[in-house]
């Protein structure tokens, strides 16, 4: 990445996380540029990361090696079609938009090398995880550029099939929100059980952090770690039995199925 030049189209939450990760990894500010219609957004990323920003997308991509499409899925068609006349054949397009297929992007962009990926918001703390899929036009060097871009903000995992990105979106793209929901619910339950909100929130947050760190660091799987907390006839068993009686696993499967289905549905609705 030492000489790679990157343009971000859309400078919102995910773009800012990726830019922050790249800068922390040592990329020079002159290697990164971003475009966004919002003057405030442009001023913010410019001030935070020292990069040049543009109101015009076509101007932002001039002379870059990698173009990261970081706009909402609903804006992708218009953005791709407006960029198409200005694209150079060697420029790698990396899309982070949920539910927009490579086939749709090819229709809008032409035969451009495309990597489609799904990061997540912990990228902000360089603790993200991404799934990546490359089209046949992507060279080994471009694959490496995409790998380095996403691994600047966490773990980057390549997928064999593009369709698997629907599942990645369901598990890890949307996943931070599920853990936040659990933290919210555990905090509220702690308050009902007599704790102050501040104490309940700290207990829930630090427990989520500690459990995640244990799961990552441990040689054994999550089921074994759970068993080690669960003393026979004790408090954890009482809670786990209550979760399972309420259909916890089936509910999680249903929720992630809904997310994956929505990802595929968005491809149908927004991909034409
Ligand atoms: N948030 C998440 O957890 C994740 C999001 N994603 C994907 O990342 C993408 C971006 O999401 P996120 O960063 O959350 O969204 P944001 O809304 O924060 O960022 C998108 C930015 O693009 C700008 N924009 C809108 N139209 C254009 C245009 N024509 N040209 C250039 N910029 C434009 C928006 O400006 P304005 O607000 O003025 O419209 C906004 O600043 C989405 O496609 C989403 O599916 C992927 C993984 C996780
Ligand atoms: O909710 C969404 O559609 C996006 C994609 C993954 C996370 N946020």
């Amino acid at each position: 990445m030492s000489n790679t030049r990157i343009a971000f189209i859309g400078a919102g939450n995910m773009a800012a996380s990726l830019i922050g990760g790249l800068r922390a990894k040592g990329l020079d500010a002159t290697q990164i540029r971003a475009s966004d219609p919002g003057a405030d957004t442009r001023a913010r990323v410019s001030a935070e990361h020292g990069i040049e920003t543009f109101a015009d997308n076509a101007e932002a991509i001039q002379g870059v090696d990698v173009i990261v499409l970081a706009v909402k899925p609903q804006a992708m068609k218009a953005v791709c079609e407006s960029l198409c006349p200005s694209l150079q054949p060697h420029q790698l397009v990396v899309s982070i938009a949920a539910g927009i297929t490579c086939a749709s992007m090819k229709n809008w962009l032409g035969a451009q090398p495309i990597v489609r990926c799904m990061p997540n918001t912990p990228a902000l703390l360089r603790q993200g995880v991404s799934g990546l899929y490359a089209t046949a036009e992507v060279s080994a060097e471009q694959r490496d550029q995409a790998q380095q871009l996403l691994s600047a903000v966490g773990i980057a995992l390549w997928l064999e099939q593009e369709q698997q990105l629907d599942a990645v979106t369901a598990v890890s793209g949307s996943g931070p929100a599920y853990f936040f929901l659990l933290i919210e619910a555990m905090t509220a339950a702690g308050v009902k059980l007599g704790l102050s909100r501040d104490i309940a929130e700290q207990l829930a947050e630090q427990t989520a952090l500690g459990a995640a760190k244990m799961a990552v660091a441990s040689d054994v799987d999550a089921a074994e770690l759970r068993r080690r907390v669960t003393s026979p006839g004790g408090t954890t068993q009482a809670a786990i039995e209550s979760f399972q009686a309420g259909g916890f696993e089936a509910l999680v499967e249903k929720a992630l199925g809904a997310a994956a289905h929505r990802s595929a549905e968005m491809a149908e609705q927004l991909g034409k």
Side-chain angles (χ1 to χ4, degrees):
M1 287 240 116
S2 56
N3 296 315
T4 309
R5 289 153 305 169
I6 305 172
F8 285 83
I9 307 303
N13 294 312
M14 287 307 300
S17 300
L18 288 164
I19 293 166
L22 290 169
R23 293 283 288 124
K25 203 182 169 188
L27 256 77
D28 196 80
T30 57
Q31 289 176 262
I32 308 171
R33 26 176 52 201
S35 62
D36 196 283
D40 291 351
T41 306
R42 290 199 301 276
R44 191 169 56 245
V45 289
S46 198
E48 275 177 22
H49 304 292
I51 63 167
E52 195 176 359
T53 56
F54 301 82
D56 178 14
N57 295 338
E59 204 182 333
I61 69 167
Q62 279 175 26
V64 304
D65 308 293
V66 181
I67 298 162
V68 183
L69 302 179
V71 298
K72 291 286 186 204
Q74 291 78 0
M76 280 287 285
K77 183 178 184 184
V79 164
C80 289
E81 287 179 343
S82 72
L83 285 177
C84 186
S86 312
L87 283 169
Q88 299 298 311
H90 71 275
Q91 290 179 312
L92 171 67
V93 174
V94 175
S95 164
I96 66 165
I100 300 294
T101 64
C102 293
S104 295
M105 284 185 272
K106 270 186 190 174
N107 282 339
W108 303 328
L109 295 168
Q112 206 69 25
I114 296 171
V115 168
R116 180 181 162 198
C117 59
M118 178 46 55
N120 65 4
T121 52
L124 189 60
L125 305 176
R126 304 185 71 199
Q127 295 292 331
V129 62
S130 311
L132 293 83
Y133 174 81
T135 57
E137 291 81 5
V138 176
S139 68
E141 188 193 352
Q142 289 173 325
R143 220 178 142 92
D144 190 49
Q145 285 172 333
Q147 171 79 29
Q148 294 207 40
L149 170 72
L150 275 307
S151 62
V153 291
I155 296 171
L157 305 168
W158 287 95
L159 304 167
E160 293 289 326
Q161 296 159 31
E162 182 179 2
Q163 213 183 7
Q164 292 173 317
L165 279 165
D166 292 333
V168 172
T169 306
V171 175
S172 57
S174 298
Y178 317 153
F179 287 97
F180 298 140
L181 183 65
L182 188 59
I183 289 171
E184 286 174 65
M186 284 174 63
T187 301
V191 169
K192 281 209 169 148
L193 290 167
L195 298 169
S196 69
R197 175 154 292 276
D198 178 46
I199 296 263
E201 198 168 67
Q202 288 191 61
L203 292 170
E205 287 172 1
Q206 185 62 23
T207 301
L209 179 67
K213 283 192 167 176
M214 280 182 77
V216 169
S218 177
D219 291 338
V220 299
D221 64 10
E224 174 56 24
L225 291 173
R226 172 164 61 83
R227 273 193 289 276
R228 290 179 189 176
V229 186
T230 311
S231 310
T235 61
T236 315
Q237 186 179 333
I240 298 284
E241 282 176 2
S242 183
F243 274 131
Q244 289 177 336
F248 184 75
E249 282 94 345
L251 186 60
V252 171
E253 189 180 325
K254 190 174 164 193
L256 270 64
H261 178 260
R262 181 63 192 137
S263 176
E265 190 178 59
M266 282 163 66
E268 278 291 307
Q269 291 172 348
L270 303 172
K272 296 186 180 91

